Amino acid sequence: MNYWLLALVVVVSYFIGNVNFARILSKTKHVDITKQSSGNPGATNMYRTFGPKLGYLTLLLDAIKGVLSALLGLFVIGHGDLHSTQALIGIYSCGLSAMLGHCFPVVYGFKGGKGVSTMLGVFLVSMPWVAIICFVLGLVYVFFFKYISVVSLLMVTVFVIYQNVILPEPNLAISLLTFAIWVLTWWAHRANIERLLVGKENPTNIGKKIKKDIAQQQKRDEHKEVVAEKIEEKIEKKEVKAEHKEQKKASIKPKRKSRRFKLLRFKHNKPKKK
């Protein structure tokens, strides 16, 4: 294995992780996401603050960071052979680095998110079907039980155990890298774990949020319709006024001509003084 090349892709992956889409997307709304709700610049806080659209978009973009980093390790270190030991080392080295870049971004003063979406992207490359199944089951759990942090902790635990169980033979490097991903995820959720233990964790009611967003969208649509109707009424009134003005002008001009004609006729027919 070329360790210099591995070090290079790890550094590149770290800076890929530095790109924080929650901060970028919230700025388009002229809001600082780090000052909203939990203050975490991640998909969950974006969901709570701006709703499903920006929440899921943030999750997708952060997951793409993990996918790109993992693919970098897969093709540069593992030469595209997903089942080789070198490929898995490349995937998890770059994936862990991207997560560190997300959690501790140098460009934001080492204040980042929790790295769950990026972690999901990493395992989407190494074990796609397992990651997809766990994600879908996680959504079902959140819909009924409301706690996203529990899903995040359970998913990373399942991923790490499954990866090490399916290895043809034990590999210390892969075990250490996956364990480091597990530790980083749990450490990033230490405040959530404390709140869960004392029963004060913030729930995320997806069903209620979706209904609320639908109701708000309907109100916005109704408001747009009302505004459009008012604009149409104004345009119609302007058109009516313009027609009245034209009619007045048309009715005034003949009268002026007729008066002038009468004056000229009067002067012409006026008897001359003898």
Side-chain angles (χ1 to χ4, degrees), residues 6 11 22 55 87 91 98 136 194 216 236 247:
L6 177 62
V11 171
I91 288 170
V136 172
E194 289 176 5
Q216 288 178 346
E236 287 177 0
Q247 288 175 0

Side-chain angles (χ1 to χ4, degrees), residues 136-193:
V136 172
L137 291 175
L139 285 178
V140 173
Y141 177 90
V142 173
F143 187 85
F144 288 104
F145 299 100
K146 315 295 187 295
Y147 296 111
I148 292 177
S149 57
V150 173
V151 173
S152 302
L153 297 172
L154 287 174
M155 276 199 304
V156 70
T157 303
V158 170
F159 293 155
V160 171
I161 292 173
Y162 182 81
Q163 177 59 85
N164 285 278
V165 167
I166 65 170
L167 285 173
E169 56 185 22
N171 185 284
L172 182 60
I174 293 172
S175 296
L176 288 175
L177 287 168
T178 52
F179 181 69
I181 290 172
W182 183 85
V183 170
L184 177 60
T185 304
W186 277 70
W187 185 86
H189 286 80
R190 61 194 183 282
N192 302 85
I193 295 168

Side-chain angles (χ1 to χ4, degrees), residues 48-240:
R48 289 172 179 162
T49 305
F50 298 108
K53 289 182 180 178
L54 285 184
Y56 290 135
L57 179 59
T58 305
L59 187 150
L60 175 63
L61 293 172
D62 283 345
I64 288 172
K65 294 192 303 185
V67 170
L68 289 175
S69 301
L71 289 175
L72 191 65
L74 171 62
F75 287 102
V76 175
I77 304 302
H79 307 292
D81 183 7
L82 182 59
H83 301 289
S84 70
T85 301
Q86 283 192 349
L88 290 175
I89 291 172
I91 288 170
Y92 292 127
S93 296
C94 292
L96 176 61
S97 183
M99 288 178 64
L100 287 168
H102 182 87
C103 297
F104 308 104
V106 65
V107 295
Y108 294 114
F110 301 102
K111 295 178 181 178
K114 296 177 182 178
V116 174
S117 301
T118 306
M119 176 269 293
L120 181 63
V122 174
F123 285 102
L124 274 170
V125 175
S126 63
M127 49 180 77
W129 287 111
V130 176
I132 291 169
I133 291 168
C134 287
F135 179 73
V136 172
L137 291 175
L139 285 178
V140 173
Y141 177 90
V142 173
F143 187 85
F144 288 104
F145 299 100
K146 315 295 187 295
Y147 296 111
I148 292 177
S149 57
V150 173
V151 173
S152 302
L153 297 172
L154 287 174
M155 276 199 304
V156 70
T157 303
V158 170
F159 293 155
V160 171
I161 292 173
Y162 182 81
Q163 177 59 85
N164 285 278
V165 167
I166 65 170
L167 285 173
E169 56 185 22
N171 185 284
L172 182 60
I174 293 172
S175 296
L176 288 175
L177 287 168
T178 52
F179 181 69
I181 290 172
W182 183 85
V183 170
L184 177 60
T185 304
W186 277 70
W187 185 86
H189 286 80
R190 61 194 183 282
N192 302 85
I193 295 168
E194 289 176 5
R195 289 195 295 269
L196 284 167
L197 291 173
V198 297
K200 294 183 179 180
E201 174 66 334
N202 298 320
T204 302
N205 194 327
I206 292 178
K208 186 178 179 180
K209 186 71 174 175
I210 291 172
K211 288 179 181 178
K212 184 179 178 181
D213 290 333
I214 291 171
Q216 288 178 346
Q217 186 62 45
Q218 288 176 346
K219 286 182 180 179
R220 284 194 290 267
D221 292 339
E222 289 172 0
H223 178 69
K224 286 179 181 178
E225 288 177 2
V226 171
V227 171
E229 288 175 0
K230 287 182 178 179
I231 291 170
E232 286 180 4
E233 288 177 1
K234 287 181 179 179
I235 292 170
E236 287 177 0
K237 286 180 180 179
K238 286 182 180 179
E239 289 177 352
V240 170

Side-chain angles (χ1 to χ4, degrees), residues 19-64:
V19 181
N20 192 292
F21 290 105
R23 292 176 185 267
I24 294 169
L25 293 173
S26 64
K27 281 184 179 179
T28 63
K29 298 290 185 180
H30 307 289
V31 174
D32 184 357
I33 191 62
T34 61
K35 295 179 181 178
Q36 302 296 318
S37 189
S38 65
N40 178 57
T44 303
N45 200 22
M46 287 290 287
Y47 183 95
R48 289 172 179 162
T49 305
F50 298 108
K53 289 182 180 178
L54 285 184
Y56 290 135
L57 179 59
T58 305
L59 187 150
L60 175 63
L61 293 172
D62 283 345
I64 288 172

